Amino acid sequence: MNDTPSPTATAANADPLTIAGKQYRSRLLTGTGKYADLDETRAATQAAGAEIVTVAIRRTNIGQHADEPSLLEALPPEEFTLLPNTAGCYTAKDAVRTCHLARELLDGHSLVKLEVLGDEKTLFPDVPATLEAAATLVKDGFDVMVYTNDDPIMAKRFEELGCVAVMPLAAPIGSGLGIQNPYNILTIVEEAKVPVLVDAGVGTASDAAFAMELGCDGVLMNTAIAGARDAVMMAHAMRLGVEAGRLAYRAGRIPKKRYATASSPIEGIFF
């Protein structure tokens, strides 16, 4: 048996993701919706290697319905960091209320993912309402990871409010279009002093790798895995994509050039 850790595992251990003071080896965060059942939810989460899983409090049973299966049976808090989210909220008031409900259900849990949507057609964030909710939640003692658009100015505003992570969209939720504006994401990454995680719009493993190559600290996804023909296989692919992208970012890509450069030296050739 070979006990030597793989280069990837060694690099991950030496390069943890830190959110709200806690370190994680995995930079892939996954959602828990749209799976066939709880068994598939757990299998895909494990294949992804995810340590943080986000939960739509308004749609998922985490104990509020005692007579129904609970997500906590498949993904117990002892094994995973739960990230309650405010999916489906269209006002700051509803989002704040949902986070307080999550804290009550999860015995004082403070890490939340905030999203306040603008309309049902685009599911784009209502940024002014999100700012309002973020200010209230930070004041109330929550550690807020905030879903927003890919505007570097707004990302900075959320950071200044005290959010522990900024999560710009790559593309509309569930679209699978991949990163539509890499230069905005790159600017957010360059300016940020908190973790930046791409959230929404990732379609396949190369999208996840691209996000990581831009310097993002992580990627959060749900539909791209749960909606795949083989969710568990896609979860594994996404894990590899995130790991490869992070390693490539840290290794440093070569500059792009217009003309060719010989791979072999031309000095001292024999003929």
Side-chain angles (χ1 to χ4, degrees):
M1 179 177 176
N2 184 4
D3 293 329
T4 303
S6 71
T8 299
T10 302
N13 288 331
D15 178 37
L17 168 65
T18 303
I19 297 178
K22 185 173 180 179
Q23 292 188 342
Y24 300 91
R25 289 176 298 171
S26 173
R27 293 174 178 271
L28 174 56
L29 290 66
T30 56
T32 54
K34 300 184 177 181
Y35 290 102
D37 51 38
L38 291 179
D39 289 340
E40 186 181 65
T41 304
R42 181 174 176 82
T45 303
Q46 290 178 319
E51 296 171 284
I52 303 176
V53 293
T54 187
V55 181
I57 292 298
R58 291 159 61 99
R59 299 168 180 158
T60 307
N61 181 29
I62 58 170
Q64 60 269 54
H65 305 293
D67 56 338
E68 298 177 7
S70 169
L71 180 72
L72 301 187
E73 297 169 6
L75 303 175
E78 297 78 20
E79 294 182 41
F80 300 92
T81 293
L82 298 182
L83 178 62
N85 70 59
T86 59
C89 291
Y90 288 85
T91 68
K93 184 178 180 181
D94 282 350
V96 170
R97 184 190 304 124
T98 300
C99 289
H100 278 277
L101 173 61
R103 183 153 71 180
E104 183 178 331
L105 290 170
L106 296 171
D107 299 325
H109 186 89
S110 62
L111 184 66
V112 294
K113 179 196 163 191
L114 171 64
E115 59 180 76
V116 184
L117 302 177
D119 64 56
E120 294 183 355
K121 180 179 180 180
T122 65
L123 297 180
F124 282 142
D126 181 332
V127 175
T130 307
L131 278 167
E132 178 185 347
T136 301
L137 290 169
V138 170
K139 182 180 177 182
D140 290 347
F142 286 92
D143 296 316
V144 180
M145 300 175 68
V146 59
Y147 167 69
T148 183
N149 56 25
D150 60 4
D151 181 344
I153 304 302
M154 295 315 306
K156 181 57 68 177
R157 295 286 181 272
F158 285 115
E159 180 181 321
E160 291 169 348
L161 268 177
C163 294
V164 298
V166 177
M167 308 177 76
L169 57 80
I173 292 173
S175 67
L177 290 171
I179 295 178
Q180 296 298 292
N181 197 335
Y183 296 104
N184 275 19
I185 298 292
L186 189 58
T187 303
I188 292 172
V189 168
E190 289 173 346
E191 298 294 325
K193 294 182 175 59
V194 296
V196 175
L197 299 92
V198 158
D199 181 9
V202 168
T204 189
S206 58
D207 298 334
F210 185 35
M212 300 306 294
E213 289 171 357
L214 289 173
C216 292
D217 297 280
V219 181
L220 190 151
M221 64 183 74
N222 188 170
T223 304
I225 294 176
R229 187 167 57 249
D230 187 324
V232 176
M233 188 182 296
M234 182 59 84
H236 188 201
M238 291 295 189
R239 176 181 187 167
L240 298 177
V242 167
E243 292 176 352
R246 180 65 180 179
L247 288 173
Y249 169 72
R250 294 182 64 201
R253 65 158 297 145
I254 62 170
K256 293 182 180 180
K257 300 176 183 176
R258 185 177 176 187
Y259 296 109
T261 302
S263 299
S264 302
I266 58 176
E267 295 84 6
I269 58 177
F270 296 111
F271 55 86

